[in-house]
Amino acid sequence: MIPVQLTIEGLYSYQERQTIDFTNLIDAGLFGIFGAVGSGKSSILEAITYALYGETERLNVRDKRTYNMMNLKSNRSYIEFDFINHENKIFRITRDFKRNSKRFEDVKSPVVVFSELKDEVWVPLNHTSAEELLGLSYSNFKRTIIIPQGQFKEFIELGAKDRTQMMKEIFNLHRFDLQDKVAVLVKKNQSEIDQLQGKLSGFEEVSEDYINELQLQLIELEKVAEKHQVEYTEANENFQKLKALKNDFESLKQKKISFEQLSVDKVLVDERKVQLEKYELIFNAFNQLLLDQSKVQKEIELKNATIESQKNQLQLIENQITEVSNQIKEIQADFDALPIKLKQEIDLEFIIQILTFLEEIKVLKIRTEKGLEKVVEVKQNEELIEKNIKTLESDIKSLTKNKIDSTILMEVGNWFNQNQNIQLSIQKQEQKLADSQKQIETLVQDLANQNIKIDSFENDFKSKFEELETQKNAYEKLKHEIEVKKKISEYAHSLHDGKPCPLCGSENHPNVVEIDDVTTELHEISKLIAHVISEQEKLRIQQQNVHSIFNKKQLIEEQLSLDKNNFTELVNQFNTHQEGFVWKDFDSKDFANFEERKNASLEIEKLITEKNNLLTEQRELFEKERVNLEKFTKALEQFKLEEAQKESQIQQNKQNLKILNFEDFNSETIENVQNKWRNLKLFIQKTELDYTRFNQNLNELKPKLASQKTSIDSLEKQIIELNQELVAHTSGIEKALIQNQFDSLEIVHQTLQLNLNISQIRQELEDFRVKYETLKNSIEELEEKLKSISFDDEAYQIEEEKLNVITSNLKEATEAVTKLKTGIEILKESFEAKKDLLKEMDKLQKRAANLAILKNMFNAAGFVQYVSSIYLKQLCDNANIRFHRMTRNQLSLQINENNDFEIVDYLNEGRARSVKTLSGGQAFQVSLSLALALAESVQSNSKAERNFFFIDEGFGTQDAEAVNIVFETLNHLHKENRIVGIISHVEELKERIPVSLNIVKDEEKGSKITMIK
């Protein structure tokens, strides 16, 4: 991650909006953030981590985080952070939270937006997870990129389990944790085996022999079925002939019965035919005439009812016209007087305005009197404030003359601080030289106590080793000879006549050797060999110890030489520093006098600040009073202007009165006059509305009256025409009765009431005729066909029973064949499926064996821990490159068998000890080395071109020389394309870092950030 820009507002001590552009800082490679304690240095890192993860080191959700993070003088906190991730993409994160305007302690949850820069446009993302963008959790972000204050040692003190989890996340070791995946595969494979076993259990009886046996049975059954088929064909042919003959006899009998019934029905059908012919004659002659007559009679009745209703409606309209005309007469007088009433209404409006203006003028006079009093009061306050301002300006001028320049105080103070640091470094270096010299003397004495000659100890040890090796070889040779004798003795005791010798194979053994028991001798020689080996081991341990002491002595002597050079440099630096004291008003030997004068000057500065603040307040009050005076003066002028305008309007309104006299209303209240005006206005509106409405009603009724009369006249004419049409229809009916020789119209009505369906009845009569003739012809044909043939019912029954038996046998044989064929096909398919299942089972069982091997390999995340330990050892090797340089090869970092960090102390015989025994400064050095190594590994894995690393404090635990080494290490990182930011209050670092941010906290405006190049 590379920071691009950070904007913060209303956060902790940052009251006003501050923006940090990291461009110059990143280009420098090494930069710092400096400021006094509590100025807000660490808040910058906290703003970055909170923007990314919504988490902070100091506060959690239970601590009312948003309230406590927000500046107490602010009502809004805002963080905006732009950065480049390992994929070289630019992202922006904003977090914005506000204070409840009604409840000071209620701060709302932040609004969070993640965006990516695409084509110069910020495009919002659909998530708010920094872990997706950076590939690091919050915990590991604190361990590898931004290390908060007090958390620098966390990584080396993590337990093995937590450290393994961290390595898994940072280096993506999850890809090696295949335990769950293997378990899923094992479970899936076993499930498939179980399913196959279940399927195979249904194929236990399926075999090729069983299928062949069934096929032989099928051949036999097919032969039986063929025999029954032949019998069935012959019997069925005979039976069908008898059945056809029986059907003919039965059909003839049934048709004769049906013909007898049709002959009876024929009489009724003939009568119905006569009735239909009479109905059709009357229907054609009278039906349409009677329908037309009935239609005209109904229309006459309907027109008579309508004309009666229209006459009633006419009477109603005439009554309404009379009523509306009377209403118009009653209101006519009031309507004619409306012009006068309208003028009275306008006059009343003018009178109301006059009365209102008079009341407002009274109020303006009162306000003017009070305004004049306020103007006098403000002028007096203005004069008093002006006097206070002059007094304060005089006091500040007097105090400024007695104050020492703050720049000089800062420079002199820095000189004294550096002088003290150099003296302390010289004292520490002197003590260090003495300690190193003492260690060398102790080591020399230790060698002397062991009778070790420094110049020839290597040759002495070599001679001793050669002497012991010669003794060991002689003893081993003797032991071998004794073992040979013992083996020969064992062979000799095992020889028997007739059995071959195990050495030469001969079955004859004339002279068997006899050898005494050598077990005791062999035991003694083994003890001598063991003693020599023990002496060799002791000598080897002594040699290693001497080598260790010699290396340690050599290492201390080299370090002593370096320390002497450093001591000389410190002394030279001290002398140069003394020459740099150029302030004549102070004594370089009298620090107490400087502190006294500095404190006095600071008191004066404080007093000047208080006076300036008071002066600012007085000037603000003076400006406020000036504004108030101007405002009151303008208000008085406005009152006078309004009063004059209202007097002018009153005179104008009096002149505009047409009918009413204002003097008649001078004693009345505005409310009474307004009531009269409202009543008059309502009367005018009602009169106009009623008069208009009545006339409108009258105009609407007159056309209706005329229309109604016209409608009645039209209906009367239509009734006359319909009566004439009715007479014509009646005449037509009488002529038809005469033509068809009917005595009365009653016979016609009775016949038509039958309401016969002519076409349907005619079709039924025709159908009966066809049926009658067809049946008659069919009987004649059958009688001719069966004239010389007879039918034996008993023979028919015998043939039918014989056919049923044969059919049953054929059906049973066919079903047996079909069933057996189906069974054989199913068994063949099952046999093929069984072969496929057995092949699949073989594959799954082989896969199960392979998965068992994988399960053992990846069980309990053992493989991940193994890979993690490799990464940790590589991390240690990379960290030791810098750690050796920082500790002058005195200490080294290693991983023990439990994957915990240990320190190898070369000043104490290279023994290992816990990292918890390190001093604060040493812990900072090893933590810094590890953090840098971890950052390098993260950069290598992410394939990022550059990487960023931030350190918050830690330098206060280092002496001057250690600070130099650490600084050189960090400065060298720029050449390795690393970017390092440092937060500190150590002034020495500030002078040596090329680019930095300086944080200054203002009591009124909060913390301010400036860049120093």
Side-chain angles (χ1 to χ4, degrees):
M1 180 202 76
I2 304 296
V4 176
Q5 182 172 288
L6 175 67
T7 301
I8 50 178
E9 176 186 350
L11 189 75
Y12 290 123
S13 60
Y14 292 92
Q15 184 176 342
E16 298 179 355
R17 177 165 293 202
Q18 302 290 303
T19 298
I20 302 173
D21 185 353
F22 284 94
T23 305
N24 292 329
L25 303 177
I26 297 302
D27 291 342
L30 178 64
F31 66 90
I33 299 178
F34 297 98
V37 175
S39 61
K41 303 184 299 298
S42 298
S43 298
I44 293 174
L45 300 193
E46 196 160 347
I48 293 175
T49 56
Y50 185 69
L52 289 167
Y53 294 95
E55 296 286 347
T56 65
E57 188 64 24
R58 285 190 277 186
L59 300 169
N60 55 40
V61 177
R62 294 189 300 275
D63 297 325
K64 296 172 65 176
R65 179 163 53 203
T66 51
Y67 168 75
N68 286 306
M69 287 179 71
M70 185 176 287
N71 185 281
L72 293 175
K73 294 182 180 179
S74 301
N75 293 320
R76 178 198 183 197
S77 292
Y78 179 77
I79 306 173
E80 180 182 285
F81 180 51
D82 298 351
F83 64 94
I84 303 172
N85 76 340
H86 59 277
E87 297 175 331
N88 216 28
K89 296 179 179 179
I90 302 177
F91 296 94
R92 169 173 289 175
I93 300 176
T94 60
R95 291 186 185 265
D96 189 2
F97 45 102
K98 299 179 182 179
R99 195 187 301 279
N100 191 325
S101 58
K102 297 181 180 179
R103 292 173 54 201
F104 185 79
E105 294 186 358
D106 180 19
V107 177
K108 300 176 181 178
S109 298
V111 177
V112 186
V113 179
F114 279 46
S115 306
E116 182 181 355
L117 186 63
K118 294 182 177 179
D119 299 327
E120 303 301 323
V121 177
W122 290 106
V123 180
L125 302 180
N126 58 1
H127 67 85
T128 57
S129 172
E131 191 167 345
E132 287 188 27
L133 306 181
L134 299 178
L136 290 173
S137 66
Y138 171 60
S139 299
N140 291 331
F141 182 81
K142 293 188 300 178
R143 296 166 183 152
T144 57
I145 294 182
I146 291 183
I147 302 181
Q149 203 171 37
Q151 298 294 314
F152 215 72
K153 296 197 302 179
E154 182 185 4
F155 179 52
I156 61 173
E157 294 178 355
L158 279 176
K161 181 179 178 182
D162 293 335
R163 191 182 297 111
T164 299
Q165 182 63 31
M166 173 183 170
M167 299 294 285
K168 282 171 66 177
E169 181 178 321
I170 292 177
F171 297 108
N172 194 23
L173 301 185
H174 298 281
R175 65 185 188 274
F176 299 114
D177 189 3
L178 303 176
Q179 179 183 358
D180 294 339
K181 293 182 179 179
V182 171
V184 170
L185 292 175
V186 169
K187 185 177 179 181
K188 181 182 178 183
N189 194 68
Q190 186 58 46
S191 174
E192 292 177 0
I193 290 175
D194 293 341
Q195 290 177 11
L196 276 179
Q197 288 175 342
K199 291 177 181 178
L200 285 169
S201 64
F203 297 108
E204 291 176 355
E205 297 181 357
V206 178
S207 67
E208 194 170 3
D209 293 338
Y210 183 56
I211 293 171
N212 293 333
E213 182 182 342
L214 291 178
Q215 285 178 334
L216 293 174
Q217 294 179 15
L218 177 62
I219 293 170
E220 295 298 324
L221 285 175
E222 286 176 340
K223 290 179 180 179
V224 174
E226 288 176 2
K227 179 182 176 183
H228 287 306
Q229 182 65 44
V230 172
E231 293 175 353
Y232 171 78
T233 302
E234 183 180 350
N236 187 54
E237 185 177 348
N238 295 331
F239 177 73
Q240 293 300 326
K241 291 178 181 179
L242 289 173
K243 186 177 181 181
L245 185 60
K246 180 184 179 183
N247 289 339
D248 287 342
F249 276 98
E250 287 180 350
S251 177
L252 178 60
K253 181 180 178 182
Q254 186 62 41
K255 286 180 179 181
K256 285 181 177 180
I257 294 170
S258 298
F259 186 73
E260 290 176 0
Q261 182 63 43
L262 286 177
S263 298
V264 173
D265 293 340
K266 190 174 184 301
V267 177
L268 297 174
V269 169
D270 291 340
E271 291 176 357
R272 194 176 184 191
K273 182 179 179 182
V274 172
Q275 183 188 37
L276 177 63
E277 290 173 351
K278 180 182 178 181
Y279 177 82
E280 189 174 4
L281 174 65
I282 293 172
F283 182 84
N284 293 332
F286 294 95
N287 186 62
Q288 188 60 46
L289 291 172
L290 289 172
L291 287 174
D292 292 342
Q293 184 189 42
S294 176
K295 180 181 177 183
V296 171
Q297 285 175 344
K298 288 179 180 178
E299 287 183 4
I300 291 171
E301 290 172 0
L302 181 61
K303 296 293 182 183
N304 285 328
T306 303
I307 201 170
E308 187 63 29
S309 173
Q310 293 288 347
K311 287 179 179 179
N312 293 334
Q313 186 67 25
L314 178 64
Q315 184 62 42
L316 180 62
I317 292 172
E318 288 175 345
N319 293 338
Q320 288 177 346
I321 289 174
T322 302
E323 183 182 353
V324 172
S325 299
N326 293 334
Q327 289 174 338
I328 292 173
K329 288 178 182 178
E330 291 175 0
I331 202 173
Q332 188 67 48
D334 291 336
F335 182 76
D336 294 339
L338 281 181
I340 297 172
K341 296 292 184 182
L342 287 170
K343 291 180 180 178
Q344 289 178 350
E345 180 190 354
I346 295 170
D347 285 355
L348 284 174
E349 288 179 356
F350 285 134
I351 290 170
I352 290 169
Q353 287 183 1
I354 292 170
L355 292 173
T356 303
F357 289 152
L358 289 172
E359 290 295 326
E360 291 175 350
I361 288 170
K362 291 178 183 178
V363 173
L364 286 171
K365 289 179 183 279
I366 295 170
R367 292 180 69 183
T368 302
E369 291 176 3
K370 291 181 179 179
L372 289 171
E373 294 174 359
K374 192 67 178 176
V375 167
V376 173
E377 180 184 346
V378 170
K379 285 182 177 180
Q380 291 174 350
N381 290 339
E382 192 177 36
E383 292 173 358
L384 180 61
I385 293 169
E386 190 175 8
K387 183 178 179 182
N388 291 337
I389 289 172
K390 290 180 179 179
T391 303
L392 287 169
E393 288 175 343
S394 176
D395 292 344
I396 291 169
K397 188 174 181 181
S398 177
L399 288 169
T400 304
K401 293 179 180 179
N402 299 324
K403 184 177 77 72
I404 301 173
D405 188 354
S406 58
T407 304
I408 295 174
L409 283 175
M410 185 180 295
E411 291 174 352
V412 176
N414 289 338
W415 187 93
F416 276 111
N417 287 334
Q418 291 178 11
N419 189 64
Q420 186 178 5
N421 291 334
I422 294 171
Q423 287 178 342
L424 287 173
S425 297
I426 290 172
Q427 292 173 6
K428 289 181 182 178
Q429 198 67 17
E430 288 176 342
Q431 182 63 42
K432 196 172 183 181
L433 289 171
D435 292 343
S436 297
Q437 190 63 45
K438 187 175 180 182
Q439 287 178 347
I440 292 171
E441 293 172 359
T442 302
L443 292 174
V444 171
Q445 184 61 43
D446 191 7
L447 291 172
N449 293 338
Q450 298 183 47
N451 296 320
I452 300 298
K453 297 178 181 179
I454 295 175
D455 297 334
S456 62
F457 77 93
E458 290 285 359
N459 293 328
D460 294 343
F461 275 113
K462 184 177 180 182
S463 298
K464 290 180 181 179
F465 274 120
E466 290 175 351
E467 182 182 346
L468 289 171
E469 188 66 25
T470 302
Q471 290 182 14
K472 179 184 173 186
N473 292 336
Y475 288 142
E476 286 180 343
K477 182 178 180 183
L478 183 58
K479 180 182 178 183
H480 178 69
E481 292 173 355
I482 294 170
E483 286 176 341
V484 171
K485 288 181 180 180
K486 183 180 178 183
K487 198 67 177 176
I488 291 172
S489 175
E490 291 175 355
Y491 286 143
H493 284 296
S494 64
L495 291 176
H496 299 284
D497 289 337
K499 293 185 178 180
C501 173
L503 296 177
C504 66
S506 176
E507 296 181 355
N508 297 318
H509 318 294
N511 297 313
V512 178
V513 69
E514 292 184 3
I515 301 174
D516 296 333
D517 185 12
V518 293
T519 304
T520 304
E521 187 178 355
L522 184 63
H523 179 68
E524 290 297 328
I525 199 68
S526 296
K527 286 175 63 178
L528 289 173
I529 291 172
H531 176 70
V532 172
I533 291 171
S534 175
E535 290 297 320
Q536 284 179 324
E537 185 62 28
K538 288 179 182 178
L539 187 62
R540 188 176 293 106
I541 292 171
Q542 185 183 15
Q543 184 187 31
Q544 289 177 350
N545 188 30
V546 170
H547 272 295
S548 176
I549 293 171
F550 183 77
N551 290 336
K552 189 183 297 183
K553 174 177 173 294
Q554 189 176 12
L555 188 66
I556 295 171
E557 287 174 345
E558 291 174 359
Q559 189 60 48
L560 181 63
S561 176
L562 292 173
D563 290 343
K564 286 179 179 178
N565 292 334
N566 290 335
F567 179 75
T568 302
E569 289 178 5
L570 287 171
V571 171
N572 294 334
Q573 185 180 352
F574 178 76
N575 294 331
T576 303
H577 189 68
Q578 293 295 322
E579 294 172 359
F581 193 86
V582 295
W583 301 277
K584 297 179 180 179
D585 294 337
F586 297 97
D587 186 356
S588 62
K589 302 288 191 294
D590 193 352
F591 178 70
N593 176 260
F594 166 74
E595 282 291 312
E596 183 179 347
R597 293 182 64 184
K598 175 184 174 183
N599 292 333
S601 181
L602 289 174
E603 286 297 324
I604 293 172
E605 179 70 29
K606 184 178 179 181
L607 192 59
I608 290 172
T609 302
E610 291 174 355
K611 296 277 187 184
N612 276 322
N613 292 338
L614 189 59
L615 178 62
T616 301
E617 291 176 2
Q618 290 296 315
R619 284 175 175 165
E620 289 175 354
L621 283 174
F622 181 79
E623 180 63 22
K624 185 178 179 181
E625 292 297 330
R626 189 189 63 76
V627 171
N628 287 339
L629 179 61
E630 185 178 345
K631 183 175 70 173
F632 294 147
T633 304
K634 288 182 178 179
L636 286 174
E637 293 174 354
Q638 185 64 30
F639 293 160
K640 291 178 180 178
L641 180 61
E642 289 181 8
E643 185 177 346
Q645 289 174 345
K646 292 182 187 301
E647 288 286 357
S648 175
Q649 190 64 46
I650 288 171
Q651 295 301 323
Q652 183 66 38
N653 286 358
K654 286 181 179 181
Q655 293 175 5
N656 290 333
L657 294 177
K658 303 296 182 183
I659 296 175
L660 300 178
N661 188 357
F662 175 72
E663 302 301 328
D664 297 336
F665 298 91
N666 198 16
S667 59
E668 291 194 32
T669 62
I670 295 174
E671 185 177 357
N672 288 339
V673 178
Q674 285 177 336
N675 288 335
K676 289 180 180 180
W677 172 76
R678 278 193 290 268
N679 292 335
L680 179 60
K681 188 171 184 178
L682 288 173
F683 174 78
I684 291 170
Q685 290 175 348
K686 185 175 183 305
T687 302
E688 289 178 338
L689 185 63
D690 289 347
Y691 188 82
T692 302
R693 181 164 53 85
F694 293 154
N695 278 290
Q696 186 177 355
N697 290 342
L698 184 61
N699 292 333
E700 290 175 356
L701 288 170
K702 286 178 179 179
K704 286 183 180 180
L705 181 64
S707 175
Q708 200 69 21
K709 288 179 178 180
T710 304
S711 178
I712 292 171
D713 292 341
S714 175
L715 286 170
E716 287 175 345
K717 291 178 181 179
Q718 290 175 8
I719 290 171
I720 293 170
E721 292 173 355
L722 287 171
N723 283 326
Q724 292 173 352
E725 188 177 348
L726 181 61
V727 171
H729 289 314
T730 303
S731 175
I733 291 169
E734 289 175 352
K735 288 178 180 178
L737 285 171
I738 295 169
Q739 288 175 357
N740 291 287
Q741 298 178 355
F742 289 108
D743 297 334
S744 67
L745 192 59
E746 185 65 26
I747 297 171
V748 174
H749 284 300
Q750 288 176 357
T751 303
L752 290 175
Q753 284 177 358
L754 294 175
N755 197 21
L756 299 179
N757 189 333
I758 298 172
S759 59
Q760 181 181 347
I761 295 173
R762 193 180 297 282
Q763 183 64 42
E764 290 174 356
L765 292 172
E766 180 62 23
D767 292 343
F768 179 82
R769 187 190 67 77
V770 172
K771 183 178 180 183
Y772 180 82
E773 293 296 332
T774 301
L775 185 59
K776 181 180 177 182
N777 293 332
S778 179
I779 291 171
E780 291 174 353
E781 289 175 358
L782 282 173
E783 285 177 341
E784 180 65 27
K785 179 181 178 182
L786 302 173
K787 184 165 53 175
S788 59
I789 300 173
S790 62
F791 173 72
D792 187 351
D793 190 59
E794 185 178 350
Y796 175 81
Q797 295 293 334
I798 292 170
E799 286 295 328
E800 185 178 22
E801 290 176 2
K802 180 182 177 182
L803 180 63
N804 289 338
V805 171
I806 293 172
T807 302
S808 177
N809 293 337
L810 178 61
K811 182 180 179 183
E812 289 176 1
T814 304
E815 287 178 350
V817 170
T818 303
K819 184 177 180 182
L820 190 55
K821 277 185 177 179
T822 304
I824 290 171
E825 290 299 323
I826 292 172
L827 283 173
K828 285 182 177 179
E829 292 175 1
S830 300
F831 185 68
E832 292 300 321
K834 183 179 181 180
K835 287 197 293 186
D836 294 338
L837 291 174
L838 288 172
K839 289 179 182 177
E840 186 65 25
M841 176 63 79
D842 184 56
K843 290 180 183 178
L844 290 174
Q845 287 174 343
K846 290 179 180 177
R847 181 175 173 80
N850 294 332
L851 288 173
I853 296 171
L854 289 176
K855 184 178 180 181
N856 291 332
M857 183 186 298
F858 296 110
N859 190 33
F863 190 68
V864 175
Q865 292 175 0
Y866 169 72
V867 176
S868 175
S869 65
I870 293 175
Y871 273 82
L872 275 175
K873 288 175 183 177
Q874 291 176 350
L875 200 62
C876 270
D877 293 341
N878 293 334
N880 277 326
I881 295 172
R882 295 186 176 90
F883 188 47
H884 288 165
R885 187 162 61 243
M886 291 182 189
T887 61
R888 305 179 189 88
N889 295 319
Q890 294 176 5
L891 301 176
S892 182
L893 187 67
Q894 70 177 17
I895 295 290
N896 63 16
E897 63 275 6
N898 296 323
N899 269 1
D900 289 328
F901 287 117
E902 286 184 342
I903 294 297
V904 177
D905 190 346
Y906 293 116
L907 297 182
N908 290 287
E909 302 178 356
R911 298 185 185 275
R913 56 187 172 94
S914 171
V915 292
K916 295 180 180 179
T917 62
L918 293 172
S919 66
Q922 291 171 332
F924 172 77
Q925 290 172 345
V926 72
S927 299
L928 176 60
S929 300
L930 267 174
L932 291 172
L934 193 59
E936 288 173 355
S937 299
V938 170
Q939 178 183 3
S940 176
N941 285 343
S942 64
K943 299 179 180 179
E945 295 179 0
R946 296 187 297 173
N947 215 330
F948 179 72
F949 186 74
F950 229 128
I951 305 171
D952 190 355
E953 296 298 351
F955 297 94
T957 61
Q958 307 293 296
D959 57 24
E961 185 179 357
V963 169
N964 288 336
I965 295 172
V966 171
F967 182 79
E968 289 173 6
T969 299
L970 296 177
N971 202 27
H972 187 69
L973 291 174
H974 182 46
K975 300 176 183 177
E976 302 173 8
N977 222 9
R978 305 284 190 276
I979 302 159
V980 179
I982 298 171
I983 289 184
S984 181
H985 59 272
V986 177
E987 289 295 327
E988 291 179 34
L989 288 174
K990 185 177 180 180
E991 295 176 357
R992 300 175 65 176
I993 290 178
V995 181
S996 63
L997 299 176
N998 190 49
I999 315 297
V1000 178
K1001 185 177 180 181
D1002 185 273
E1003 294 298 329
E1004 291 297 323
K1005 298 182 179 179
S1007 296
K1008 298 283 187 178
I1009 302 173
T1010 55
M1011 183 174 290
I1012 301 174
K1013 296 184 180 180

